[in-house]
Amino acid sequence: MEFTILIIFASLAFFLLLSVPIGIAIGLCVAVGIVFGDILPPAFLVQKMITSLDVFPLMAVPFFIMAGEIMQKGSMAQRLLKVSHTFVGHVTGGMAHISVLTSMFYGALSGSSPATVAAVGGIMVPSMVKEGYSRRFAAAVNTSAGCLGVMIPPSVPLIIYGTTAGVSVGDLFIAGVGPGLFVGVCLMICSYVIARRHGYGGGKRASFMERMTALREALVALMVPLIVLGGIYGGLTTPTEAGVIAVVYAFVAEGLVLRTLTWGKVWDVFRNTAITSASIFIVVATATALGQILLFYNVPDMLVDVLVGISDNKYVLIPIILVFLLIMGTFMDALANILILTPLLLPVMKHLGMDPIHFGIVMIVAASMGFLTPPVGVNLFVGCSISNLSIERLSVAVLPFLFTMCIALLAITFIPALSLGLL
């Protein structure tokens, strides 16, 4: 049994080193485990891949992806930028605060970290450079703030964790609001400190009427998270139904009210949604099969015994687990981490007395930091393409923000009220 487990993880590492796409790599390592284990039938992989996708909450994934694609093609990002500018543009390092605040708003629309960097950073990085901010700082702020896209609901990783851990996706959405806002505020504090050190000033303070005008123009965009979270929190809709409503609302808002959608953009929306959804579902299907084969070999119980053997003190074990999550985030995609590690670590966290919903938020925040670390830091690659910086220079520039997010992660982990206070 130990040999089979070893060969599964060794083959997964081997395929990842060969740059095999993560979904295919996981499927191949499961197939290797079946062959060398000689216990499970060859049909096991296919059966688990099919049954893993036959889950109602997963239907929310393509709908939220489509809603994000529609709004990315439209004008909502510019309207949100104007709102942020009127409220925080006058503060020291005002342009950086505008980037973070807009990413918080946009993250609640798109649910995607790279999409948030592309939409907000594509506008803000050139604007910040024009205003006298260094290109490295401008790129680092927007690249880091993009991580808020997966923390603030609706979020695809939250849906994936909910289906994997067997907890309410609606509760996860509500629980994700506080931590997402908290991390956003922490990034703004970090931006303020850096801006003050380098002498980046703020702009002119907006008048009350200018703020009200900006809010009115952005009302169409600001209504999306209110409709989604309000429907779920009020018990009126499931997350899947909320996703459908978000798509219809986005089409009506961008297509009929704001008139920013063309038929060419609509085609791009459907195509990008199909490609993104397919890539996610391949990872979901194969990673679920991997999780099942690890459960078959009793790996979660073995991991609990090993970790409890180190210490039964949660203030010792939880930091070890957090470091492990951060290390894994540098090598594997966030969704793969959630799907593979949730079945392994959730029993340990339950043993330590942590609520599954609380652990889900902690895991999403930790996984989001993987977007900022090479070699698979997707936000870094998007940020590099926007700012024309090398991956090495941008990786160094984001370190203060990465350190800030580590402090925020510790606070979210050991202060459960940040996550569970609204439940």
Side-chain angles (χ1 to χ4, degrees):
M1 181 177 68
E2 290 81 2
F3 174 75
T4 304
I5 297 170
L6 181 63
I7 202 70
I8 288 173
F9 285 110
S11 61
L12 176 60
F14 175 73
F15 291 129
L16 291 176
L17 286 173
L18 291 179
S19 298
V20 176
I22 183 67
I24 306 300
I26 296 172
L28 289 173
C29 83
V30 173
V32 170
I34 292 173
V35 171
F36 280 88
D38 200 25
I39 298 176
L40 297 171
F44 174 85
L45 174 59
V46 177
Q47 289 172 347
K48 291 302 177 184
M49 288 179 66
I50 293 173
T51 57
S52 67
L53 298 179
D54 189 19
V55 181
F56 180 71
L58 283 180
M59 290 180 63
V61 172
F63 291 120
F64 282 120
I65 291 173
M66 179 173 285
E69 285 287 340
I70 296 167
M71 290 177 278
Q72 188 177 353
K73 299 294 182 184
S75 63
M76 290 191 182
Q78 290 89 337
R79 294 170 186 269
L80 293 173
L81 280 169
K82 188 174 180 180
V83 172
S84 302
H85 192 281
T86 59
F87 279 90
V88 298
H90 62 280
V91 182
T92 299
M95 296 290 281
H97 301 314
I98 292 170
S99 296
V100 177
L101 188 58
T102 306
S103 295
M104 293 166 69
F105 285 138
Y106 195 82
L109 304 182
S110 70
S112 168
S113 187
T116 302
V117 178
V120 179
I123 300 171
M124 287 303 300
V125 171
S127 300
M128 290 179 70
V129 172
K130 187 177 180 181
E131 290 292 327
Y133 291 78
S134 73
R135 187 173 296 274
R136 291 178 62 184
F137 177 63
V141 169
N142 286 276
T143 301
S144 304
C147 295
L148 298 170
V150 296
M151 298 182 202
I152 299 177
S155 163
V156 171
L158 285 174
I159 298 172
I160 299 301
Y161 174 84
T163 58
T164 306
V167 298
S168 168
V169 175
D171 286 347
L172 283 168
F173 278 9
I174 302 304
V177 174
L181 296 177
F182 176 70
V183 174
V185 171
C186 290
L187 291 177
M188 292 176 78
I189 293 172
C190 179
S191 300
Y192 178 85
V193 172
I194 297 174
R196 191 178 180 88
R197 182 181 302 169
H198 290 86
Y200 301 137
K204 179 184 175 183
R205 183 185 292 270
S207 67
F208 176 78
M209 287 306 300
E210 287 174 329
R211 291 177 177 176
M212 291 301 101
T213 301
L215 281 172
R216 187 179 68 251
E217 292 176 352
L219 186 62
V220 174
L222 295 173
M223 284 297 293
V224 176
L226 292 178
I227 291 172
V228 172
L229 295 179
I232 294 171
Y233 194 63
L236 302 175
T237 63
T238 65
T240 301
E241 292 164 347
V244 176
I245 293 172
V247 169
V248 174
Y249 179 87
F251 262 124
V252 172
E254 292 285 10
L256 301 180
V257 178
L258 304 177
R259 296 185 177 277
T260 55
L261 284 182
T262 63
W263 287 112
K265 289 181 178 179
V266 171
W267 167 252
D268 288 339
V269 165
F270 280 99
R271 183 188 61 190
N272 293 342
T273 300
I275 293 172
T276 305
S277 299
S279 63
I280 289 173
F281 285 144
I282 289 175
V283 176
V284 170
T286 55
T288 302
L290 176 59
Q292 289 295 313
I293 199 171
L294 294 178
L295 284 172
F296 179 82
Y297 285 111
N298 210 28
V299 174
D301 290 340
M302 292 167 58
L303 185 61
V304 171
D305 293 339
V306 170
L307 290 176
V308 172
I310 297 173
S311 174
D312 206 20
N313 187 332
K314 69 176 183 179
Y315 296 105
V316 175
L317 282 184
I318 290 179
I320 293 174
I321 292 172
L322 292 180
V323 171
F324 175 70
L325 288 173
L326 294 177
I327 292 173
M328 292 301 294
T330 64
F331 296 105
M332 278 204 305
D333 174 76
L335 293 182
N337 266 321
I338 294 166
L339 288 159
I340 294 172
L341 298 180
T342 297
L344 297 178
L345 296 178
L346 187 57
V348 181
M349 304 310 280
K350 285 182 177 179
H351 178 81
L352 296 174
M354 181 177 281
D355 186 273
I357 291 177
H358 181 202
F359 175 60
I361 301 303
V362 170
M363 193 168 201
I364 299 305
V365 174
S368 71
M369 294 166 68
F371 288 111
L372 299 178
T373 54
V376 293
V378 183
N379 283 16
L380 289 178
F381 296 112
V382 177
C384 288
S385 65
I386 293 172
S387 61
N388 293 321
L389 290 174
S390 66
I391 189 75
E392 294 82 9
R393 293 185 68 190
L394 185 54
S395 297
V396 174
V398 300
L399 286 179
F401 298 96
L402 200 56
F403 178 73
T404 301
M405 291 177 69
C406 286
I407 295 174
L409 175 62
L410 287 173
I412 292 168
T413 302
F414 291 106
I415 307 176
L418 286 172
S419 303
L420 307 179
L422 294 177
L423 296 177

